[in-house]
């Protein structure tokens, strides 16, 4: 086997951070090579150097045996490197054909390009209409646009940055079939992910990074997910303790809850019963109504009378503050801007949701001492790494701020807590701490709704599982014994995709 | 009533030309994702520079050339501040307007009371600038919709991070767009001093730059819409003068308000459409007014 790509001693330093330190590895023709690491391990800096977005401080790269030092992405593309980004690099107001033309150095005239898009998309089982606007496409369809944009360049090295995070398991299977087909034709694929099971079942080799340094390149099939995780984190993973929970009387009743769509997804006739001491997991691909459901439960969106009841009391027409007083708390997904004000200090941020329940506001005046004290309590109880309660929320790392946001609600002694994506973009250590805190809260008798796109997380935490698809909530099923395939079908299957049927 | 539609239309074309130039320029700037509120300042600079050059050389054509250069030159201060020093676009644009008005008031003093050289008539008795303005509409449309640089410019305005990720020069595209917008605004301003009023007066653009900005929104960032908006405004201006001359008791202020009311109405329509889930076409460029900073 020959190395399509080779990196030798790559290093990159940002002010205060050694993002990459002496990284050497190679990707062979025809292999799917995983790049594995926690958030902040240096994966994205590394691929940005390969794709010409960032220039390395030290070391050198080689592509197809020749020295390779792209000064911008166009040079990288010209040399045969293509990349599918994690956050789509698409232009919403433009058509599929225009987006694809932007990713090519010398796009053919329009009719010719449209013909080639149609041809190639059929060949890979990724049907796409070149004249559609990106804004009207689903996440899975958008990814097809990104992939086709790369394929039209006939890349020698294809980089994929966490491509399955927006896909259902079935859609992910189809993606892997496409990748396997490409690899079979000799393309080298560098696959970035932190989903260990996915890497174990689909990748030929895995290069693991930790804190900017190379841990090693291994055969992922020869190791268990736990061993891979230990290499990623540098320590044995802490197992979460699920014991001590006894689901009891219902605390939250949601009946026939619907919202008008507007800009987001409309919720359609949602019904659920949450018991105290229970964790209800709600899974679904992003954009299927998760944010809207959290808003309807937290009180940001008011719904018809009789749709939301906490311990028999109708809260459908009550706003967020009244619901908090009643014991229904929520932590939204977007921690900067929705759950916390970045410019405010941590102490000031406690006032936003815990003001009334913790007695931090008296007769309309802020009790600064109490707010600082409560912030300190959260920092201590949740091991938030920060200089102190006067630090601006925006200055904390994602994981630390998430611990703070969740901690603020958990210490509010909720009857019911609704969280959306509690560990999104959080390193493994912090994620484990947050999950444990949620389990402990349930063990103390609160009812929890955990909305997440991370199926492993939902299987680990929840007692019952529902799927949110196109604004509809499925009937709950006990998590015990549920397989990923069954969950995939609950999430809506493959959204009209088909398996590749013509060889490349 | 003695209002002859044909003569109104011919006058309308003249009244619409300064706004058409400035709005087409601003449209290109905004499609690149930059909001330059300094149109009025660039227009008045062009009005003075164009008048001075035309007066000195005796050639209106040289006057318009000088106006384009002067408009582009002041727009470069905006470009330097917003694109390289990352200053706030709204504040910088407002400053550019005030700067242009003040600067021209100072340097324009010696030119007051002088007369502009006569414009050469073009086909159908309309001057060449009117024809150039109308010809620019399909040219700008074609550039944006059909050429590769136009596609890249729209990409930069739609999602500058993605455009940068694909390796397109976000900053360079924006600086070029700002310069083009400045040149057209300058020519639009010069049309007022050289072809309409035929002399220099302090503050003579009288808010035309603001109308141009409103028309870009009214047009939903489409060049043909800009033409419609400019003609609508030109028509209202001419009609208002004619109605006054004919002694009709319509308050002038009501008619002057019409273009702004139409703009607000269109804005409401756009938001209403977005509320009912039809976004994409007709919406503002997604990166409009957002500063771009790439970490290298």
């Amino acid at each position: 086997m020959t190395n399509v790509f080779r990196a030798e001693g790559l290093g990159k330093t940002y002010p205060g951070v050694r993002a990459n330190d002496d990284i050497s590895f190679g990707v062979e023709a025809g292999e799917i090579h995983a790049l594995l690491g926690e958030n902040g391990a240096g994966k994205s800096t590394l691929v940005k150097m390969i794709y010409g977005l960032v220039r390395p401080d030290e070391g050198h790269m080689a592509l197809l045996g020749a020295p390779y030092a792209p000064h911008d992405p166009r040079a990288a593309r010209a040399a045969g490197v293509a990349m599918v980004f994690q956050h789509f690099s698409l232009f919403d107001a433009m058509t599929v054909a225009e987006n694809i033309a932007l990713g090519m150095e010398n796009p053919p005239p329009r009719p010719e390009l449209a013909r080639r898009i149609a041809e190639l998309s059929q060949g890979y089982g990724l049907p796409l209409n070149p004249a559609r606007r990106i804004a009207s496409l689903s996440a899975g369809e958008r990814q097809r646009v990104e992939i086709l944009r790369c394929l039209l360049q006939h890349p020698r090295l294809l980089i994929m940055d966490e491509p399955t995070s927006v896909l259902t398991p079935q859609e992910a299977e189809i993606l892997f079939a496409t990748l396997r087909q490409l690899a079979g034709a000799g393309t080298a694929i560098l696959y970035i992910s932190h989903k260990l099971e996915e890497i174990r079942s689909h990748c030929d080799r895995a290069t693991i990074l930790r804190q900017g340094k190379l841990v090693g390149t291994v055969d992922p099939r020869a190791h268990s997910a736990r061993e891979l995780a230990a290499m990623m984190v540098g320590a044995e993973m802490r197992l979460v303790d699920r014991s001590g929970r006894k689901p009891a009387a219902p605390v939250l009743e949601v009946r026939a809850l619907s919202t008008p769509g507007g800009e987001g997804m409309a919720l359609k006739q949602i019904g659920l019963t949450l018991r105290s001491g229970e964790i209800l997991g709600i899974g679904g691909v992003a954009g299927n109504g998760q944010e809207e459901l959290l808003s309807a439960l937290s009180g940001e969106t008011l719904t018809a009378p009789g749709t939301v009841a906490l311990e028999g009391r109708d809260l459908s027409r009550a706003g967020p503050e009244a619901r908090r007083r009643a014991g229904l708390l929520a932590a939204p997904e977007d921690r900067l801007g929705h759950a916390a004000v970045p410019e405010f200090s941590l102490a000031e941020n406690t006032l936003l949701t815990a003001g009334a329940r913790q007695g931090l506001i008296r007769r309309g005046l802020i009790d600064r001492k109490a707010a600082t004290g409560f912030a300190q309590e959260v920092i201590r109880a949740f091991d938030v790494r920060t200089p102190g309660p006067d630090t601006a929320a925006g200055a904390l790392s994602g994981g630390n701020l998430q611990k703070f946001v969740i901690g603020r609600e958990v210490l509010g002694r909720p009857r019911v807590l609704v969280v959306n994506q509690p560990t999104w973009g959080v390193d493994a250590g912090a994620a484990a701490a947050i999950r444990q805190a949620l389990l402990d809260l349930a063990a103390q008798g609160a009812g929890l709704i955990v909305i997440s796109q991370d199926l492993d997380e939902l299987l680990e935490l929840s007692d019952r599982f529902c799927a949110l698809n196109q604004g509809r909530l499925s009937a709950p099923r006990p998590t015990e014994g549920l397989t990923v395939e069954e969950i995939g079908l609950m999430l809506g299957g493959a959204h009209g995709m088909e398996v590749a049927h013509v060889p490349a | 009533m003695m209002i002859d539609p044909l003569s109104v239309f011919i006058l309308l074309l003249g009244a619409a030309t300064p706004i058409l130039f400035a709005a087409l320029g601003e449209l290109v700037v905004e499609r690149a994702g930059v909001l330059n509120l300094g149109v009025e300042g660039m227009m008045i600079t062009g009005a003075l520079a164009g008048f001075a050059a035309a007066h000195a050389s005796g050639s209106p054509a040289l006057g318009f050339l000088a106006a384009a250069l002067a408009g582009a030159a002041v727009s470069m201060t905006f470009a330097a501040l917003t694109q390289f020093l990352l200053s706030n676009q709204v504040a910088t644009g407002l400053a550019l307007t005030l700067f242009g008005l003040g600067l021209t008031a100072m340097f324009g003093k010696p030119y007051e009371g002088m007369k502009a050289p006569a414009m050469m008539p073009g086909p159908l008795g309309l001057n060449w600038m009117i024809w150039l303005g109308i010809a620019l509409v399909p040219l700008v449309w074609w550039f944006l919709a059909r050429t590769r640089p136009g596609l890249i410019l729209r990409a930069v305005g739609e999602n500058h991070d993605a455009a940068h990720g694909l390796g397109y020069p976000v900053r360079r595209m924006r600086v070029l767009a700002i310069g083009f917008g400045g040149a057209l605004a300058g020519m639009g301003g010069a049309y007022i001093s050289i072809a309409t009023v035929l002399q220099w007066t302090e503050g003579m653009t009288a808010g035309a730059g603001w109308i141009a900005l409103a028309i870009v929104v009214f047009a939903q960032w489409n060049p043909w819409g800009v033409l419609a908006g400019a003609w609508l405004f030109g028509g209202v201006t001419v009609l208002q003068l004619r109605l006054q001359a004919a002694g009709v008791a319509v308050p002038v202020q009501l008619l002057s308000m019409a273009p702004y009311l139409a703009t607000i109405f269109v804005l409401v329509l756009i938001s209403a459409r977005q509320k009912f889930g039809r976004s994409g076409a007709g919406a503002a460029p997604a990166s409009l007014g957002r500063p771009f900073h790439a970490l290298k």
Side-chain angles (χ1 to χ4, degrees):
Chain A
M1 282 292 212
T2 49
N3 270 334
V4 169
F5 172 81
R6 176 103 214 126
E8 289 292 347
L10 283 184
K12 176 75 189 175
T13 305
Y14 288 118
V17 190
R18 183 78 176 141
N20 274 180
D21 188 19
D22 191 24
I23 308 280
S24 303
F25 73 108
V27 187
E28 289 171 359
E31 79 164 336
I32 303 181
H33 190 118
L35 189 57
L36 193 58
E38 290 194 84
N39 286 298
K43 291 173 302 194
S44 50
T45 303
L46 183 57
V47 293
K48 278 181 182 167
M49 290 194 284
I50 302 174
Y51 196 56
L53 277 166
V54 169
R55 250 170 271 184
D57 296 334
E58 310 87 49
H60 39 87
M61 298 181 275
L63 190 73
L64 301 166
Y68 169 68
H71 50 87
D72 68 9
R74 294 161 89 173
R77 283 203 298 274
V81 177
M83 177 158 169
V84 174
F85 292 88
Q86 175 185 13
H87 302 290
F88 297 125
S89 62
L90 296 175
F91 305 94
D92 283 359
M94 298 190 189
T95 64
V96 169
E98 285 176 328
N99 269 278
I100 289 177
L102 278 165
M104 300 176 75
E105 278 325 296
N106 291 300
R110 290 171 166 243
E112 164 73 8
L113 181 64
R115 198 183 56 72
R116 277 174 60 188
I117 292 170
E119 215 176 82
L120 197 67
S121 67
Q122 288 305 323
Y124 280 98
L126 309 167
L128 266 180
N129 175 358
R132 289 255 317 258
R133 272 177 202 283
I134 299 297
S136 69
L137 302 182
S138 72
E141 288 173 313
R142 287 175 195 218
Q143 191 174 52
R144 287 179 219 174
V145 179
E146 291 251 13
I147 294 171
L148 282 178
R149 182 155 80 179
C150 292
L151 296 188
L152 279 165
Q153 307 271 359
H154 305 293
R156 303 304 304 268
L157 172 67
L158 175 63
I159 306 171
M160 306 209 67
D161 193 358
E162 304 208 5
T164 57
S165 54
V166 294
L167 303 182
T168 63
Q170 276 79 2
E171 287 174 325
E173 282 306 313
I174 292 170
L175 173 69
F176 277 112
T178 306
L179 292 183
R180 201 33 87 185
Q181 190 183 346
L182 275 174
T187 311
I189 294 165
L190 186 60
Y191 188 91
I192 301 164
S193 182
H194 57 241
K195 294 189 180 174
L196 301 170
E197 286 305 336
E198 185 178 285
I199 286 173
R200 286 187 63 241
S201 47
H202 292 289
C203 296
D204 303 304
R205 288 195 299 163
T207 291
I208 300 169
L209 299 185
R210 181 169 72 226
Q211 290 172 2
K213 290 195 178 69
L214 183 72
V215 177
T217 298
V218 299
D219 176 357
R221 284 161 220 190
H223 295 271
S224 71
R226 277 183 66 76
E227 286 167 345
L228 290 175
M231 285 188 246
M232 244 165 83
V233 183
E236 279 293 305
M237 290 286 291
R238 189 155 61 110
L239 269 184
V240 295
D241 173 16
R242 292 179 49 121
S243 63
R245 276 182 295 146
K246 285 185 283 309
V251 278
L252 183 74
E253 284 276 359
V254 177
R255 261 187 237 105
L257 183 149
S258 297
T259 59
E263 278 175 40
M265 173 67 66
L267 297 178
K268 295 157 195 127
Q269 296 287 317
I270 301 245
L272 62 88
T273 302
L274 180 71
R275 289 172 295 171
S276 81
E278 175 189 51
I279 298 183
L280 178 70
I282 296 182
V285 176
N288 274 292
Q290 287 93 335
E291 277 183 53
E292 290 78 5
L293 179 59
L294 183 120
S295 295
L297 294 177
S298 72
E300 279 176 72
T301 311
L302 298 182
T303 50
T307 47
V308 179
L310 182 76
E311 297 178 315
R313 193 173 141 206
D314 183 18
L315 288 178
S316 315
R317 305 303 299 166
E321 193 56 40
R323 291 191 194 194
R324 279 187 210 118
R325 282 174 197 278
L328 172 54
L329 308 190
E333 167 185 18
D334 178 18
R335 43 186 173 255
L336 274 183
H338 197 174
V341 180
E343 294 81 12
F344 280 15
S345 72
L346 294 180
E348 286 166 330
N349 268 297
T350 61
L351 295 164
L352 299 178
T353 65
R357 274 184 91 75
Q358 302 291 336
L360 309 180
I361 295 172
R362 283 178 225 275
R363 283 183 232 100
L365 294 176
I366 294 169
D367 184 345
R368 288 209 155 261
K369 239 171 100 182
T372 309
F374 181 61
Q376 241 147 8
E377 204 183 321
V378 176
I379 291 168
R380 204 170 37 241
F382 283 81
D383 187 27
V384 181
R385 314 274 163 82
T386 171
D390 296 325
T391 311
L396 266 64
S397 75
N400 276 310
L401 185 57
Q402 188 69 20
K403 284 197 274 188
F404 182 82
V405 166
I406 299 279
R408 182 180 66 184
E409 307 309 328
V410 167
L411 291 187
R413 300 176 316 276
R415 293 300 302 140
V416 170
L417 177 62
V418 186
V419 293
N420 187 9
Q421 298 271 70
T423 61
W424 180 80
V426 166
D427 65 73
I434 289 170
R435 288 176 194 157
Q436 189 62 58
L438 296 177
L439 287 165
D440 292 346
L441 184 66
Q444 288 158 23
L448 268 74
I449 294 179
V450 177
I451 306 172
S452 177
Q453 284 152 49
D454 184 341
L455 296 181
D456 295 332
E457 171 171 275
L458 291 176
L459 289 175
E460 186 178 356
L461 290 181
S462 52
D463 304 295
R464 289 186 300 155
F465 176 86
C466 301
L468 195 57
N469 186 19
Q470 296 287 317
R472 288 194 177 82
L473 193 68
S474 72
R477 299 196 32 191
T479 317
E480 202 86 4
L482 206 57
T483 66
V484 171
E485 282 67 38
E486 288 171 310
I487 292 177
L489 291 172
M490 289 172 80
L491 297 186
H495 287 297
M497 286 166 86
E498 44 184 313
V499 183
H501 44 71
V502 178
Chain B
M1 225 185 289
M2 311 167 296
I3 297 177
D4 162 29
L6 185 65
S7 74
V8 167
F9 184 67
I10 288 174
L11 286 168
L12 168 164
L13 290 179
T17 297
I19 312 157
L20 181 60
F21 270 89
L24 275 178
E26 179 67 12
L27 176 129
V28 171
V29 176
E30 292 192 13
R31 287 299 284 266
V34 178
L35 181 65
N36 184 354
L37 294 182
V39 181
E40 180 83 4
M42 301 186 295
M43 283 185 87
I44 193 80
T45 307
L48 176 62
F51 182 84
H55 182 79
S57 66
S59 156
L62 278 179
F64 284 110
L65 186 67
L69 291 176
V74 289
S75 77
M76 281 304 111
T77 60
F78 175 85
L81 287 168
T82 58
Q83 302 306 303
F84 294 91
L85 302 175
L86 302 179
S87 70
N88 177 296
Q89 293 181 8
V90 170
T92 311
L94 290 173
L96 184 62
T97 286
L98 296 174
F99 173 74
L101 288 170
L103 193 78
T104 52
M106 183 169 78
F107 286 109
K109 279 275 173 260
Y111 293 97
E112 277 174 9
M114 291 179 177
K115 225 180 135 35
M119 292 280 288
M120 274 176 303
L124 300 177
L126 300 170
N127 66 54
W128 285 105
M129 288 303 286
I130 292 179
W131 290 111
L132 178 63
I134 294 170
L136 274 171
V137 174
L139 276 177
V140 167
W141 173 84
W142 175 80
F143 170 78
L144 288 174
R146 289 282 180 266
T147 70
R148 180 134 181 106
L151 178 65
I152 295 171
L153 183 135
R154 283 189 288 136
V156 163
E158 196 55 46
N159 183 346
H160 53 217
D161 294 317
H164 174 71
L166 289 170
Y168 294 111
V170 175
R171 203 188 264 173
R172 194 192 313 154
M173 287 311 293
R174 288 191 167 165
V175 169
L176 289 173
I178 293 168
F180 177 78
L184 284 203
M187 288 165 82
Y191 190 88
I192 300 176
S193 61
I194 299 176
T196 311
V197 186
L198 308 176
Q199 59 177 0
W200 163 256
T201 335
E202 188 184 322
M204 67 188 306
T205 45
W210 299 111
I211 293 162
L213 276 164
I215 281 174
V216 175
V217 179
F218 167 84
Q220 300 183 47
W221 294 271
N222 177 331
W224 295 103
V226 163
L227 183 67
W231 280 3
L232 174 74
F233 181 77
V236 169
T237 312
V238 173
L239 202 65
Q240 150 203 323
L241 291 173
R242 281 297 166 102
L243 286 173
Q244 274 180 275
V248 181
V250 177
V252 181
Q253 290 82 354
L254 263 187
L255 284 168
S256 311
M257 274 190 270
Y260 300 98
L261 286 176
T263 301
I264 291 170
F265 182 69
V266 169
L267 280 175
V268 171
L269 267 185
I270 295 174
S271 341
R273 264 195 356 184
Q274 279 169 350
K275 195 171 173 189
F276 295 112
R278 284 201 307 232
S279 56
S287 288
L288 184 60
R290 283 171 47 209
F292 172 73
H293 177 61
L295 189 67
K296 254 282 175 186

